[in-house]
Amino acid sequence: MQDVAENTWDPFARGCPSRDVLTKIGDRWTVLVINALAQGPLRYSELHHRVDGISQKMLSQTLKGLTHDGLVARQVYPEIPPRVEYELTAAGLSLLEPLQMLVNWAIAHMDDIVAARKRAEK
């Protein structure tokens, strides 16, 4: 395993674990879930409602992966019925700015992309 202090992670090298991280961060559901949690903790049902079109299975998988990677924290409250909330960790919060820039870029360039796709289909 590589030492973070050595700064030897190279996503261009086959087998580098950073490729897996980039794949996960680049996933549309990850981008949307991270951005949905930007305003603070949300319950599963609130996230499901906010991220329109995500299936329950995909939301569960995304949250599990983000929690596993330390980007999202899962807090269970001992109530009846149990209440579970998800919120961004410090690492997750550090992703907000670059992911929001990506979202803003996509919105700003959608007209050009749609036009290019139409030209390509002809």
Side-chain angles (χ1 to χ4, degrees), residues 9-63:
W9 300 109
D10 181 4
F12 293 100
R14 180 182 2 188
C16 182
S18 64
R19 285 188 177 189
D20 180 53
V21 174
L22 289 172
T23 298
K24 189 174 292 181
I25 291 171
D27 176 72
R28 72 173 158 170
W29 299 124
T30 294
V31 171
L32 295 173
V33 168
I34 294 283
N35 276 287
L37 290 170
Q39 302 304 313
L42 292 173
R43 296 176 76 165
Y44 180 91
S45 60
E46 295 169 322
L47 268 170
H48 189 252
H49 179 73
R50 184 161 299 171
V51 183
D52 190 30
I54 192 170
S55 69
Q56 290 184 355
K57 178 181 177 183
M58 188 52 61
L59 179 56
S60 294
Q61 287 177 354
T62 301
L63 287 169

Side-chain angles (χ1 to χ4, degrees), residues 32-102:
L32 295 173
V33 168
I34 294 283
N35 276 287
L37 290 170
Q39 302 304 313
L42 292 173
R43 296 176 76 165
Y44 180 91
S45 60
E46 295 169 322
L47 268 170
H48 189 252
H49 179 73
R50 184 161 299 171
V51 183
D52 190 30
I54 192 170
S55 69
Q56 290 184 355
K57 178 181 177 183
M58 188 52 61
L59 179 56
S60 294
Q61 287 177 354
T62 301
L63 287 169
K64 184 176 181 179
L66 292 172
T67 301
H68 182 262
D69 287 347
L71 301 174
V72 170
R74 181 179 185 268
Q75 177 68 44
V76 180
Y77 295 91
E79 301 172 355
I80 305 288
R83 178 170 54 104
V84 178
E85 290 184 342
Y86 297 90
E87 69 179 312
L88 296 175
T89 63
L93 287 167
S94 73
L95 262 180
L96 282 175
E97 185 177 353
L99 289 183
Q100 189 57 54
M101 289 173 63
L102 181 62

